[in-house]
Amino acid sequence: MGELFRSEEMTLAQLFLQSEAAYCCVSELGEIGMVQFRDLNPDVNVFQRKFVNEVRRCEEMDRKLRFVEKEIKKANIPIVDTGENPEVPFPRDMIDLEATFEKLENELKEINSNQEALKKNFLELTELKHILRRTQQFFDEMEDPSLLEESSTLIDPSDPNRGAPLRLGFVAGVIGRERIPTFERMLWRVCRGNVFLRQADIEDPLEDPTMGDQVHKSVFIIFFQGDQLKNRVKKICEGFRATLYPCPETPPERKEMLAGVHARIEDLQMVLNQTEDHRQRVLQAAAKTVRVWFIKVRKMKAIYHTLNLCNIDVTQKCLIAEVWCPISDMDSIQFALRRGTEKSGSTVPSILNRMQTKQTPPTYNKTNKFTSGFQSIVDAYGMGSYREMNPAPYTIITFPFLFAVMFGDFGHGALMTCAALYLVLRETRLMAQKIDNEMFNMVFAGRYIILLMGIFSVYTGAIYNDCFSKSLNVFGSGWSVRPMFSPQVGGNWTFKTLEDNNILQLDPAVDGVFRGPYPIGIDPIWNIANNKLTFLNSFKMKMSIILGVIHMLFGVSLSLFNHLYFNKPLNIYLGFIPEIIFMSSLFGYLVILIFYKWISYDASTSKDAPSLLIAFINMFLFNYNDPTNKPLYRGQSGLQIFLVLIALACVPCMLVVKTLVLRRQYLWRKRLGTQNFGGIRVGNGPTEDEAEIIQHDQLSQHSEDGPEFNFGDVAVHQAIHTIEYCLGCISNTASYLRLWALSLAHAQLSEVLWSMVMHIGLSSRSYGGAVLLAVIFCFFAILTVAILLIMEGLSAFLHALRLHWVEFQNKFYSGQGFKFLPFTFESILDGRLEE
Amino acid sequence: MPSLLFCGPKMAACGIVISIWGVIMLAMLGIFFSAKSAVLIEDVPFTEEDIRNDKNPPQNIYSLYNQVGINCFIAAAIYVVVGAVSLCQVRLNKRQEYMVT
């Protein structure tokens, strides 16, 4: 747990890798995933690096594999995923892999082209078959004497050409069905109605060999007279991409041809089936290993990319890499290097050498499956600066708690807990399923957050005594109506009073009406009281202020640990102390007043209780003569004046004094001066003893002078910070009132849902109401999940997020670091693509 | 064989979840109505006459409470049936899955 409070301690280290062992060492480092390589040749073009050739070969292999994968997916063959993690192949195995892939790709391409040619052939033959079959009908009709008789009498009985049969030419072909209407019209217009078109649809769709999709086509036959028309018709057919087939003129010839076509189709079908079988076999064999191949190739590519980042020694004997790594994991890195060296068979060990640097190391927070969700909430705002206090461990409790304050409902909390429990208990199985749904993955990643949010909601729901907007009366209410009717104890109600009034208010001052608070949470009697909202609002508003002020004070105290760790005493004395005094003397005092008022007034004295809000405003106005608002306690005015003055005194401390002190320190250091002896800077102290080596150029990678002190900049920055803090105290406290607002909204919404939906189901006086109730309950359940759990849950989540990011974290968290991105094969294993 | 399968695996799972929730919640409501919980008075369908014409108050209101409570129990029983049917559907869906693969 200790490492969760701050990010890991990182160090810059140099890696000396023997050229022959470099590949194996880097692959071992990739397996453990604990080092981040720095680019040592940033000015070298990508194409001029040492291993560019290998990278290119890997990319070529990757491309071939992608082609194979695409073919496998097209053939609907499932890719086997055993979840195994194959070892990185040696560089010498690369040629084998390349040869395998090359062979596979060529084979597939050949099969594909053969198949395509065969399919084309097949299509042509099928079309021809259809033409021969359909046209037979047309010819039969034409030669039918009865039809001929009928039509000829209709045309013109006095036609001179009648009797002598016309020599009609014809073309037959196949065309896409959707083109028929335009085709027909075009023929009619161009040939001026002198051609005769017959067409018939082919019922079964034909397969397009190039695209592989199904197309509907029609057979047509066009009769015409003369060569000129023939040319025109042929041109139009060409223009409409109709395929024309030669069709014999006499029936016996046609019959013969049809028989021939049938025989050829059968042969072709057999060949096609065999080709398809072969293709399936090849693809199935590939599907078994394609995932492993992908991982191998991508790992190799990643290794060569990483090797490209290294510096090549002048002697070409070794590669020099610079890495960021966590100090706590140095041992495992050393071990990985040793394993890599052994594997490559090299005798010279690889060396890991720690370096001193002034550069800011990356931020690395170790997480497990429970904390990672909370850490990502923090990181989404900004990556923490190096070794800064990490808000994530506190977020684990405060985030679900603040969420639950807004989402407080026993029933809804229980539902949410059940859903999260399902995700948590089934996590291994769900993870193995690798569901690709983005929404689901988001929820799944936050399953522990949701679980905690649900549990906390159950708790706050119990405190609010709210379960689907109804209260649970477990211990018995503390309120009683009976004493209001007995004059002995001061009750003044009679049955006449009940007749006359619609609404009556119980008087807690009457003895026995109020018998003390409910053991836990809100008394269930409030659920049916008319002034429920007045009571709950006052309670929830005060509760939000209390929670908010505590949360913010906690944030400010965390900044103390930052100042202590980074050794900045000035920030403690002139930053942290005035800040915490300012806040606690104003808002901390308000919280104490709230508690004081809760404790010190009981039912008999509550009539005289002053308004806290007015009292607080009067505190700033120094107005203590308000007759309507009595003081809470004796000596209130003195204490309050003192507190306001102290708070005011803190402002200049933060605003001006800190800047002036910073300036003085800078001038003092400057007056001491430093001297530079050949790269070694020596500072002269006030006395001889205090002289020290301030900076040693050889030790630092990049020698930079200390930041120049710019008085204007610092003053403006400090002023902004101070104003932001002081105004922020007020606005942030007000901002915590969203806890009240959201919880009010949630409670009201669930009450509306109950009275608009569930109430209808319950309010039936006959047994038929049971069926209605069952149906209504279904709607109630769906609406509850959709509106109250998902929609309201998201809104409460968002507000809890804001309270953490803005109100809590800006008190201590700067979030200006950059993330530690170790070189790891993990993302390759998950099948995700990098970059 | 005519298949009794009429909804997919997701629908069946949804049915199971809703029926578990329904059985628990409606049974609890039934118990609370039978116990004449004061908090639930707003959901009891009584009218002005029920109070006025009550010879032995509050028996009229109590009988209405019982009526609504019984309705709740019946609805819970309906959800038991729905849950059983959904469970069968899940089983059938699983068997179908095995048969395909």
Side-chain angles (χ1 to χ4, degrees), chain A residues 387-436:
Chain A
R387 295 295 283 164
E388 183 178 37
M389 285 301 285
N390 182 9
Y394 321 109
T395 308
I396 293 174
I397 296 302
T398 55
F399 187 86
F401 182 68
L402 288 189
F403 171 86
V405 169
M406 294 181 267
F407 195 76
D409 189 302
F410 194 88
H412 302 153
L415 287 177
M416 191 178 255
T417 314
C418 290
L421 266 181
Y422 170 78
L423 291 179
V424 168
L425 295 177
R426 290 288 201 98
E427 64 181 356
T428 35
R429 201 181 299 184
L430 288 170
M431 242 188 285
Q433 278 180 1
K434 286 197 177 152
I435 297 168
D436 238 10

Side-chain angles (χ1 to χ4, degrees), chain A residues 789-808:
Chain A
L789 285 186
I790 296 180
M791 211 182 79
E792 275 282 294
L794 278 178
S795 109
F797 187 94
L798 207 71
H799 284 280
L801 206 61
R802 185 219 141 96
L803 285 180
H804 277 83
W805 283 353
V806 180
E807 272 78 28
F808 177 55

Side-chain angles (χ1 to χ4, degrees), chain A residues 488-538:
Chain A
Q488 303 96 293
V489 287
N492 51 0
W493 288 6
T494 55
F495 284 100
K496 181 87 174 60
T497 333
L498 292 184
E499 298 275 342
D500 294 345
N501 296 294
N502 256 336
I503 294 164
L504 285 166
Q505 194 165 356
L506 294 173
D507 184 5
V510 174
D511 202 20
V513 169
F514 179 61
R515 291 189 304 258
Y518 196 65
I520 178 161
I522 306 276
D523 198 310
I525 194 90
W526 288 108
N527 194 271
I528 45 174
N530 215 287
N531 54 351
K532 169 189 173 192
L533 277 187
T534 327
F535 170 71
L536 279 185
N537 282 352
S538 149

Side-chain angles (χ1 to χ4, degrees), chain A residues 338-354:
Chain A
R338 210 171 304 146
R339 247 180 309 163
T341 320
E342 268 168 30
K343 212 196 255 175
S344 68
S346 164
T347 46
V348 192
S350 301
I351 299 158
L352 183 71
N353 183 23
R354 274 180 72 173

